mmCIF file of all heavy atoms in Angstrom:
data_model
loop_
_atom_site.group_PDB
_atom_site.id
_atom_site.type_symbol
_atom_site.label_atom_id
_atom_site.label_comp_id
_atom_site.label_asym_id
_atom_site.label_seq_id
_atom_site.Cartn_x
_atom_site.Cartn_y
_atom_site.Cartn_z
ATOM 1 N N VAL A 122 174.499 121.899 134.925
ATOM 2 C CA VAL A 122 174.806 122.120 133.520
ATOM 3 C C VAL A 122 176.138 122.823 133.383
ATOM 4 O O VAL A 122 176.358 123.872 133.970
ATOM 5 C CB VAL A 122 173.727 123.007 132.868
ATOM 6 C CG1 VAL A 122 174.002 123.129 131.381
ATOM 7 C CG2 VAL A 122 172.359 122.435 133.109
ATOM 8 N N ASN A 123 177.048 122.223 132.608
ATOM 9 C CA ASN A 123 178.321 122.880 132.301
ATOM 10 C C ASN A 123 178.994 123.446 133.532
ATOM 11 O O ASN A 123 179.317 124.618 133.576
ATOM 12 C CB ASN A 123 178.113 124.017 131.298
ATOM 13 C CG ASN A 123 177.616 123.490 129.992
ATOM 14 O OD1 ASN A 123 177.847 122.334 129.679
ATOM 15 N ND2 ASN A 123 176.940 124.326 129.253
ATOM 16 N N ARG A 124 179.200 122.656 134.524
ATOM 17 C CA ARG A 124 179.761 123.161 135.760
ATOM 18 C C ARG A 124 181.276 123.278 135.704
ATOM 19 O O ARG A 124 181.998 122.836 136.569
ATOM 20 C CB ARG A 124 179.349 122.278 136.936
ATOM 21 C CG ARG A 124 177.916 122.486 137.337
ATOM 22 C CD ARG A 124 177.695 123.901 137.838
ATOM 23 N NE ARG A 124 176.304 124.299 137.807
ATOM 24 C CZ ARG A 124 175.471 124.150 138.817
ATOM 25 N NH1 ARG A 124 175.870 123.640 139.923
ATOM 26 N NH2 ARG A 124 174.236 124.558 138.711
ATOM 27 N N GLY A 125 181.784 123.810 134.629
ATOM 28 C CA GLY A 125 183.192 124.138 134.530
ATOM 29 C C GLY A 125 184.099 122.979 134.810
ATOM 30 O O GLY A 125 183.915 121.900 134.274
ATOM 31 N N ARG A 126 185.079 123.185 135.691
ATOM 32 C CA ARG A 126 186.100 122.181 135.890
ATOM 33 C C ARG A 126 185.761 121.211 136.998
ATOM 34 O O ARG A 126 186.596 120.462 137.450
ATOM 35 C CB ARG A 126 187.438 122.871 136.188
ATOM 36 C CG ARG A 126 187.809 123.855 135.121
ATOM 37 C CD ARG A 126 189.258 124.202 135.183
ATOM 38 N NE ARG A 126 189.681 124.768 136.445
ATOM 39 C CZ ARG A 126 190.834 125.397 136.587
ATOM 40 N NH1 ARG A 126 191.654 125.537 135.578
ATOM 41 N NH2 ARG A 126 191.173 125.892 137.756
ATOM 42 N N ASN A 127 184.533 121.230 137.488
ATOM 43 C CA ASN A 127 184.176 120.315 138.555
ATOM 44 C C ASN A 127 184.375 118.875 138.124
ATOM 45 O O ASN A 127 184.040 118.485 137.019
ATOM 46 C CB ASN A 127 182.700 120.504 138.951
ATOM 47 C CG ASN A 127 182.512 121.760 139.742
ATOM 48 O OD1 ASN A 127 183.483 122.493 139.981
ATOM 49 N ND2 ASN A 127 181.303 122.050 140.134
ATOM 50 N N THR A 128 184.924 118.080 139.015
ATOM 51 C CA THR A 128 185.147 116.687 138.704
ATOM 52 C C THR A 128 183.889 115.882 138.967
ATOM 53 O O THR A 128 182.958 116.345 139.606
ATOM 54 C CB THR A 128 186.264 116.118 139.578
ATOM 55 O OG1 THR A 128 185.812 116.182 140.937
ATOM 56 C CG2 THR A 128 187.537 116.918 139.429
ATOM 57 N N GLU A 129 183.892 114.649 138.479
ATOM 58 C CA GLU A 129 182.756 113.774 138.731
ATOM 59 C C GLU A 129 182.597 113.519 140.224
ATOM 60 O O GLU A 129 181.479 113.471 140.738
ATOM 61 C CB GLU A 129 182.944 112.444 137.993
ATOM 62 C CG GLU A 129 182.881 112.562 136.484
ATOM 63 C CD GLU A 129 181.554 113.169 136.018
ATOM 64 O OE1 GLU A 129 180.519 112.793 136.551
ATOM 65 O OE2 GLU A 129 181.575 114.032 135.130
ATOM 66 N N VAL A 130 183.727 113.375 140.909
ATOM 67 C CA VAL A 130 183.675 113.139 142.351
ATOM 68 C C VAL A 130 182.989 114.300 143.045
ATOM 69 O O VAL A 130 182.123 114.117 143.901
ATOM 70 C CB VAL A 130 185.101 112.967 142.922
ATOM 71 C CG1 VAL A 130 185.070 112.919 144.439
ATOM 72 C CG2 VAL A 130 185.721 111.692 142.379
ATOM 73 N N GLU A 131 183.352 115.540 142.633
ATOM 74 C CA GLU A 131 182.744 116.724 143.249
ATOM 75 C C GLU A 131 181.246 116.750 142.994
ATOM 76 O O GLU A 131 180.468 117.124 143.855
ATOM 77 C CB GLU A 131 183.388 117.986 142.695
ATOM 78 C CG GLU A 131 184.769 118.228 143.239
ATOM 79 C CD GLU A 131 185.513 119.305 142.474
ATOM 80 O OE1 GLU A 131 185.128 119.632 141.346
ATOM 81 O OE2 GLU A 131 186.498 119.800 143.005
#
Side-chain angles (χ1 to χ4, degrees):
Chain A
V122 185
N123 296 335
R124 285 296 160 92
R126 305 198 301 195
N127 286 1
T128 64
E129 292 302 317
V130 172
E131 286 168 342

